Amino acid sequence: QVQLVESGGGLVQAGGSLRLSCAASGGTFSTYAMAWFRQAPGKEREFVAVRGRYSINTYYADSVKGRFTISRDNAKNTVTLQMNSLKPKDTGIYYCAARKSSSTNYEYWGQGTQVTVSS
């Protein structure tokens, strides 16, 4: 089993930046695709970004493209989400998720970290 722990959430004004981190343990990190999801109040969880085993397998939701950057450090078993030009609509709980590269199902999830963007 894989354990994921997010950190870096907080309160920021619109236009500001935050850097989220996710530490993974209990698995072979380099073989997993790592992703970020978020859930706004009263809404369902939505996809934000994913970084596969290889850099070419990197994708972003249209709503964050050009503002967010996902990266991974296999040596440290971490994945990071750099969020710039934040908007109030970015507010929500951000979750780190992992899946086997051969699967489309995200089997492992972190507890989430709160991101609040004020206007």
Side-chain angles (χ1 to χ4, degrees):
Q1 58 185 29
V2 175
Q3 181 180 1
L4 305 174
V5 180
E6 303 97 333
S7 63
L11 175 64
V12 64
Q13 292 184 342
S17 299
L18 281 175
R19 186 178 182 88
L20 306 182
S21 295
C22 174
S25 62
T28 306
F29 182 79
S30 62
T31 67
Y32 288 85
M34 304 298 299
W36 289 94
F37 290 76
R38 67 187 182 187
Q39 186 169 20
K43 297 184 178 180
E44 294 187 348
R45 190 173 301 175
E46 66 175 349
F47 168 80
V48 175
V50 61
R51 171 65 156 82
R53 294 182 64 183
Y54 310 106
S55 62
I56 59 173
N57 294 324
T58 302
Y59 305 93
Y60 298 92
D62 289 340
S63 60
V64 306
K65 192 174 299 182
R67 299 187 298 120
F68 291 10
T69 302
I70 187 172
S71 60
R72 67 188 296 163
D73 187 338
N74 289 343
K76 297 181 179 180
N77 289 359
T78 59
V79 61
T80 299
L81 185 69
Q82 177 66 47
M83 305 185 294
N84 299 325
S85 301
L86 283 164
K87 305 174 181 179
K89 290 186 176 181
D90 294 320
T91 293
I93 302 175
Y94 282 69
Y95 297 90
C96 179
R99 61 169 172 82
K100 296 178 180 179
S101 296
S102 60
S103 176
T104 58
N105 179 43
Y106 288 93
E107 300 177 354
Y108 309 103
W109 296 82
Q111 82 290 342
T113 184
Q114 177 69 44
V115 172
T116 303
V117 184
S118 63
S119 57

